[in-house]
Amino acid sequence: MAKERIDKLLAGAGTRSRRDIKELVRQRRITLNGEAVTDAGQKADISHDIVCLDGTPLALKAHIYIMLHKPAGVVSASSSDCEKTVVDLVPADLRRTGLFPAGRLDKDTTGFVLITDDGAFAHRILSPKNHIEKTYIAVLEHPLCTADIAVLEQGLLLRNGTRFLPASVQILSEDAKQVQVKICEGKYHQIKRMFSAVGNCVTALRRTHMGALELDSALSPGACRELTQAELALILQK
Ligand code: URA
């Protein structure tokens, strides 16, 4: 585990600002392995160092990972002047500085959004090179035929030069209008544009899985919870 600045670790762990933390350091109320911290920029390794406030050990975590059931009508952004964002839905006890959605869903798309403050993890799960599948259920305007499945599964080159990697597509309903789609990349409006390229139209879209981790069915739209280490491992599992 890499060392992190103590002010960053403490600011990330709760609602204290960096200025408050500087003041706590000035008052010598923070200790690192029993020694008063004299510089808020001092670094600690949370895998073995013990950081205390007024003698009480702080439960520090380098990063947080939150599963959110995104409802329709909310934008996938960290902040917005005029619209409600997925980060606005995170309750105070899970709030940290630097939270962002790892991968965007359209405003009208529902389902699994991962919110974190860990840029490296987000990059790892989003980079197509790492082949982490995102699974969606799409409702289509027209039945999907096997010829169109073959086109989507081969990969697509749009007229404007955009290339979509091969997807995995499965029909779920008798009328062939409800389908499961798995993709390893997240280009702008990707699923909608893929179906539009074969003359169809997505009328509803929901993300159900990231990697092998399924959206918790106990989370109602708008609800979220922290992920366990085992669940994070499932996201990375191929
Ligand atoms: N593809 C889309 O078209 N929209 C989303 O929100 C996600 C994937």
Side-chain angles (χ1 to χ4, degrees):
M1 172 75 63
K3 288 192 167 203
E4 288 275 14
R5 290 174 59 104
I6 284 180
D7 55 358
K8 183 167 177 235
L9 285 170
L10 266 72
T15 46
R16 287 184 204 97
S17 67
R18 293 231 183 169
R19 181 190 286 193
D20 291 344
I21 293 158
K22 243 186 171 165
E23 183 55 22
L24 293 172
V25 167
R26 200 189 60 74
Q27 296 168 355
R28 302 176 77 82
R29 292 170 62 191
I30 298 178
T31 55
L32 171 61
N33 300 327
E35 298 281 329
V37 171
T38 52
D39 174 358
Q42 212 168 315
K43 291 189 171 178
D45 178 341
I46 57 165
S47 62
H48 64 259
D49 288 333
I50 297 178
V51 180
C52 296
L53 171 62
D54 296 333
T56 305
L58 296 169
L60 298 177
K61 280 182 268 179
H63 293 294
I64 191 163
Y65 308 89
I66 298 163
M67 172 194 276
L68 169 78
H69 184 166
K70 179 190 174 299
V74 172
V75 294
S76 291
S78 302
S79 64
S80 164
D81 288 339
C82 47
E83 301 199 85
K84 194 167 201 152
T85 73
V86 287
V87 171
D88 292 334
L89 295 174
V90 175
D93 60 325
L94 296 179
R95 280 279 169 95
R96 287 181 164 224
T97 48
L99 287 181
F100 65 93
R104 287 165 184 258
L105 293 183
D106 298 335
K107 190 171 171 182
D108 59 350
T109 302
T110 61
F112 190 167
V113 172
L114 178 81
I115 297 177
T116 184
D117 57 351
D118 185 348
F121 185 80
H123 178 73
R124 193 164 163 200
I125 62 170
L126 297 176
S127 170
K129 277 192 223 133
N130 292 328
H131 298 283
I132 309 254
E133 283 181 335
K134 316 323 175 283
T135 305
Y136 295 84
I137 293 184
V139 179
L140 304 175
E141 191 177 340
H142 310 293
L144 191 67
C145 63
T146 41
D148 289 345
I149 294 179
V151 171
L152 297 169
E153 291 199 330
Q154 241 176 358
L156 277 170
L157 178 62
L158 303 188
R159 275 201 211 101
N160 69 2
T162 305
R163 193 178 287 279
F164 294 135
L165 295 172
S168 149
V169 183
Q170 196 189 339
I171 291 175
L172 299 178
S173 63
E174 262 185 31
D175 65 1
K177 289 184 179 179
Q178 192 177 94
V179 296
Q180 183 189 66
V181 187
K182 296 185 179 194
I183 53 175
C184 293
E185 51 184 353
K187 294 200 171 116
Y188 182 65
H189 292 332
Q190 177 155 347
I191 304 259
K192 292 173 186 165
R193 289 158 77 205
M194 282 164 51
F195 284 100
S196 162
V198 294
N200 215 320
C201 179
V202 173
T203 59
L205 188 61
R206 178 160 56 97
R207 182 155 68 196
T208 60
H209 294 73
M210 295 187 80
L213 180 63
E214 185 172 12
L215 176 65
D216 184 344
S217 60
L219 288 177
S220 51
C224 65
R225 68 164 173 81
E226 197 172 349
L227 291 177
T228 64
Q229 288 298 316
E231 288 173 325
L232 287 178
L234 277 179
I235 294 182
L236 298 173
Q237 186 180 300
K238 289 169 200 164

